Amino acid sequence: MNAFHTIAIPHRDILEGRLTMDIFAADLWEAYHNRGPAEYRDADTFFQKTYLTQGLQNLISVIQKRIEGRGGDPTIQIQTPFGGGKTHSLIALMHKTKEWKAKNVVIVGTNLDAKDTLWSIIEKQLTGKNEKLTGLTSPGKDKLKALLVEHQPLVILMDEVLEYVTKAAGVKVEQSTLAAQTIAFMQELTETISVLEKACLIVTLPSSIIEHYDQSAEQLFAQLQKVMGRVEKIYTPVQESEIAKVIRQRLFSSVDKKKVEQIVKNFVEYAQKEGILPIGLEPTEYRNRFLDSYPFLPEVIDVLYHRWGSFPSFQRTRGVLRLLSLIVASLKEKNIPYITLADFNLASQEIRQELLKH
């Protein structure tokens, strides 16, 4: 049999050993400012290495429809488990917005100072200056609408909003706090966006509160969810059934489908004969899953994405990509037709550490 790396050709950064683990940490703020890895800031490279899931295609379609004035949801929340592709989806939307010749505003909570305000950032990105939406109190819908209506078609992308609101809770604004003003502003913003014909707001929030937040942050999270829940529609960009294709697109530049079909056919026949197919799984179903996950046996994805994904520190898609990129690099000289869990080289310090740290 042919070696897996001659059938599924790894991307050059993996083959040449130039891959750094931080490359899987998508950063919307860096991409927006045309900084960081080319695979995020360059649209062509980004989409070459990105598998367009059904959810992401649907999300792109809905937003394009909205900014073209053909209806669509005005406010969208992207919700996935921690590390499930929210930021990656926002980067895809940022690139698509440019392609559609629409204006965009990008806000990333982890990059904001506690005394920054969402309204001043929106005005600064749209006009290059701060004149009307100033101060630490929410400006109200009239001022906000007067600004936004002049800059349609418009897409506003907000990532890590909870991180920012948690910081803003420490800033006093008379008898209130900047966090309370921000939550009031989010309500004003969602209501304003809903009456504009060619504007869309996309916000990411975690699907559940993450353990490193304290009780006060949990209350802020609940308030944000309540405000957003009044007008939003929730989209999940990646379904679990698509994760194998997402992984393969990112790690491999090309796949010889005919050779894959033959290898998978031979393996399934062997597994049936030996009685080693997973219990309760029909041969046809296993075959289809292996076709999607090749060169990894489906069990490899299952163990990492589902079992390891239950660890709070393991960020599902990103964590799986980080580890499997190391596995592929370690096996690129091996003459094996596919990759099993038994092929993980635990003698490799880098691979072993990637597992042990969780």
Side-chain angles (χ1 to χ4, degrees):
M1 285 189 178
N2 296 324
F4 78 88
H5 49 81
T6 66
I7 299 171
I9 310 298
H11 281 297
R12 185 175 296 178
D13 52 6
I14 296 176
L15 286 173
E16 296 180 357
R18 296 186 288 105
L19 191 70
T20 55
M21 291 300 96
D22 61 338
I23 206 158
F24 294 120
D27 191 318
L28 175 64
W29 190 249
E30 289 293 292
Y32 174 69
H33 287 93
N34 199 31
R35 301 190 299 249
E39 67 180 70
Y40 296 124
R41 57 182 167 81
D42 178 73
D44 291 338
T45 305
F46 177 84
F47 286 110
Q48 178 190 354
K49 295 187 176 183
T50 297
Y51 176 75
L52 289 179
T53 64
Q54 189 62 47
L56 184 53
Q57 290 182 59
N58 186 39
L59 184 62
I60 290 171
S61 176
V62 166
I63 293 170
Q64 183 176 12
K65 182 179 178 182
R66 175 71 186 176
I67 66 169
E68 290 177 352
R70 299 184 289 116
D73 301 304
T75 298
I76 291 171
Q77 183 187 149
I78 298 179
Q79 190 176 93
T80 67
F82 194 44
K86 295 186 294 293
T87 303
H88 201 90
S89 299
L90 290 184
I91 293 175
L93 294 172
M94 180 192 73
H95 288 307
K96 284 295 181 181
T97 301
K98 294 177 182 177
E99 180 184 314
W100 301 327
K101 309 298 184 195
K103 291 188 177 181
N104 64 23
V105 169
V106 170
I107 295 176
V108 180
T110 51
N111 292 89
L112 301 185
D113 184 87
K115 292 185 179 180
D116 290 330
T117 66
L118 300 186
W119 46 94
S120 65
I121 293 169
I122 290 173
E123 184 185 21
K124 184 72 177 290
Q125 289 191 17
L126 289 176
T127 68
K129 53 192 175 182
N130 277 134
E131 291 182 342
K132 299 177 181 178
L133 307 189
T134 58
L136 296 180
T137 55
S138 186
K141 291 194 292 184
D142 289 344
K143 286 184 178 180
L144 188 58
K145 183 180 179 182
L147 171 70
L148 300 185
V149 74
E150 296 179 357
H151 293 88
Q152 299 181 90
L154 172 65
V155 176
I156 300 176
L157 304 172
M158 291 188 178
D159 198 15
E160 305 289 2
V161 177
L162 180 58
E163 288 271 5
Y164 165 71
V165 175
T166 302
K167 290 184 288 189
V171 179
K172 292 290 184 182
V173 182
E174 297 181 2
Q175 302 303 311
S176 179
T177 67
L178 186 53
Q181 293 297 317
T182 299
I183 291 171
F185 172 74
M186 290 301 294
Q187 180 168 334
E188 294 166 3
L189 178 60
T190 56
E191 291 176 358
T192 301
I193 289 288
S194 68
V195 300
L196 298 179
E197 186 180 3
K198 298 181 179 180
C200 190
L201 169 67
I202 300 94
V203 180
T204 70
L205 290 173
S207 59
S208 59
I209 196 68
I210 304 164
E211 61 176 12
H212 69 256
Y213 287 120
D214 60 17
Q215 187 174 359
S216 62
E218 290 188 30
Q219 294 173 348
L220 292 170
F221 176 73
Q223 288 178 281
L224 276 172
Q225 286 282 39
K226 184 177 180 180
V227 168
M228 296 297 299
R230 295 170 64 252
V231 292
E232 71 173 0
K233 185 166 183 180
I234 296 176
Y235 283 79
T236 302
V238 182
Q239 300 296 328
E240 290 190 356
S241 60
E242 298 173 303
I243 191 62
K245 294 178 181 178
V246 171
I247 291 168
R248 188 163 73 185
Q249 184 88 5
R250 175 55 191 88
L251 298 182
F252 301 94
S253 60
S254 64
V255 177
D256 188 325
K257 293 184 179 180
K258 287 188 177 181
K259 289 182 179 178
V260 170
E261 288 175 359
Q262 187 59 51
I263 289 174
V264 170
K265 178 177 178 292
N266 292 343
F267 179 83
V268 172
E269 289 176 352
Y270 164 76
Q272 280 185 274
K273 181 180 178 182
E274 297 296 324
I276 58 174
L277 283 177
I279 297 174
L281 204 60
E282 292 295 325
T284 302
E285 184 181 354
Y286 188 87
R287 173 185 175 277
N288 291 336
R289 291 188 61 207
F290 196 2
L291 287 172
D292 288 342
S293 67
Y294 184 88
F296 306 104
L297 281 184
E299 291 87 339
V300 173
I301 308 298
D302 289 344
V303 167
L304 293 181
Y305 191 74
H306 296 291
R307 296 188 193 175
W308 282 76
S310 65
F311 295 136
S313 61
F314 192 78
Q315 295 184 311
R316 287 205 179 243
T317 307
R318 188 189 309 170
V320 173
L321 284 170
R322 283 164 57 96
L323 183 54
L324 290 184
S325 66
L326 292 173
I327 299 300
V328 170
S330 72
L331 297 173
K332 64 184 180 183
E333 305 297 335
K334 298 285 187 179
N335 189 30
I336 55 176
Y338 44 77
I339 299 173
T340 73
L341 288 167
D343 296 313
F344 285 29
N345 180 16
L346 299 183
S348 164
Q349 181 178 355
E350 202 169 8
I351 293 172
R352 187 170 65 252
Q353 188 59 40
E354 189 67 23
L355 293 167
L356 289 176
K357 73 181 184 181
H358 299 292

